[in-house]
Amino acid sequence: MAQSSFYFYSLPTCIFSLCVLVGTATGQLSANFYASSCPNFSSIISSAVNSAVSNEARMGASLLRLHFHDCFVNGCDASVLLDDTANFTGEKTAIPNNNSLRGFDVIDTIKSQLESSCPGVVSCADIVAKAALDSVVALGGQSWNLVFGRRDSTTASLSAANANIPAPTLNLSGLITSFSNQGFTTNEMVALSDQQLFNGGSTDAQVRTYNSNSLTFLTDFANGMVKMSNLNPLTGSSGEVRTNCRRTN
């Protein structure tokens, strides 16, 4: 396993065989959310992600990690994309993000293309979620069903990013607590995480199970990814749909 304490820092080989079937609607989120308002949104995002990953395979892992770092801070609301303003310090300079989080330019490119095709329709939060999925597919993995309708936050929180994103230095107990605080089971946490989880601790047996039974891993990984993409989304009239992912409207 990788040496960092969170697998999204380097895309795991096991993700390449991901094959997931999940529900198609969660609350106000729906698989068909953009069917009328922006029917080509999916192909626009997929094309841009494929191009980015083709140019640099590592970008696939970066976009997946970007999704995680967004959702773990006050939900999947694209807050991680906001630049600092006079009113708040954003999340980009948080300890887990500063000089390490990547993929912002890819999201910018996608947003620009979508604004040309269907202005003011597709949220940055949905772009980040779809780009993460497409990154897995671009690197050889299978798709899973994803629902849409997330809206974008109008603020960001440096302190929340520092507090909520699991640091690479966390021990096993800290990782379990961090994921549990977001509603993840220990098995889902193991499916999404690395080296600290196979180090003579309570999760060693689960790591061995995943190593010998890929179906069990796929199920728990799927549950973890779906749960993560649906963490506290803004929907309905909450938040906004940014025209520029780096700043509020």
Side-chain angles (χ1 to χ4, degrees):
M1 286 191 173
Q3 290 299 311
S4 77
S5 64
F6 196 73
Y7 242 105
F8 288 148
Y9 284 72
S10 59
L11 196 64
T13 301
C14 51
I15 206 175
F16 295 166
S17 61
L18 183 63
C19 183
V20 179
L21 292 176
V22 299
T24 57
T26 302
Q28 295 186 58
L29 303 180
S30 168
N32 299 316
F33 189 84
Y34 296 114
S36 299
S37 58
C38 193
N40 61 341
F41 90 100
S42 181
S43 61
I44 289 174
I45 297 175
S46 297
S47 178
V49 169
N50 288 339
S51 177
V53 174
S54 177
N55 289 334
E56 182 193 5
R58 180 186 168 210
M59 185 55 68
S62 296
L63 290 171
L64 186 59
R65 183 181 174 218
L66 188 64
H67 181 40
F68 159 66
H69 282 229
D70 178 36
C71 294
F72 257 56
V73 183
N74 299 325
C76 304
D77 59 4
S79 59
V80 72
L81 305 179
L82 288 171
D83 291 336
D84 295 349
T85 72
N87 297 320
F88 63 81
T89 301
E91 300 164 18
K92 291 180 177 178
T93 56
I95 293 172
N97 298 337
N98 195 30
N99 296 320
S100 65
L101 208 58
R102 306 169 67 244
F104 299 109
D105 55 338
V106 177
I107 301 300
D108 289 340
T109 296
I110 295 170
K111 183 59 175 174
S112 177
Q113 293 174 355
L114 285 170
E115 286 299 305
S116 295
S117 179
C118 41
V121 173
V122 182
S123 70
C124 300
D126 276 346
I127 292 172
V128 172
K130 182 65 163 59
L133 169 60
D134 288 339
S135 293
V136 174
V137 175
L139 290 169
Q142 298 297 315
S143 178
W144 66 88
N145 293 333
L146 189 64
V147 289
F148 303 97
R150 301 166 190 80
R151 286 168 64 85
D152 302 325
S153 66
T154 56
T155 189
S157 174
L158 177 69
S159 60
N162 281 323
N164 295 334
I165 299 173
T169 55
L170 280 182
N171 59 20
L172 177 57
S173 176
L175 281 172
I176 292 174
T177 298
S178 180
F179 276 77
S180 177
N181 288 342
Q182 299 287 353
F184 290 89
T185 66
T186 299
N187 283 2
E188 290 166 351
M189 183 273 293
V190 174
L192 295 173
S193 307
D194 75 319
Q195 185 64 36
Q196 190 63 241
L197 306 181
F198 192 71
N199 195 27
S202 61
T203 54
D204 280 15
Q206 191 62 38
V207 175
R208 291 191 181 96
T209 296
Y210 289 154
N211 187 53
S212 62
N213 189 330
S214 60
L215 182 59
T216 299
F217 166 77
L218 292 174
T219 299
D220 289 344
F221 185 87
N223 290 338
M225 286 300 299
V226 171
K227 185 175 290 185
M228 185 177 70
S229 68
N230 293 325
L231 283 175
N232 302 315
L234 297 173
T235 59
S237 60
S238 299
E240 64 181 16
V241 175
R242 294 185 214 136
T243 57
N244 182 325
C245 291
R246 293 177 180 262
R247 60 176 182 263
T248 59
N249 293 342

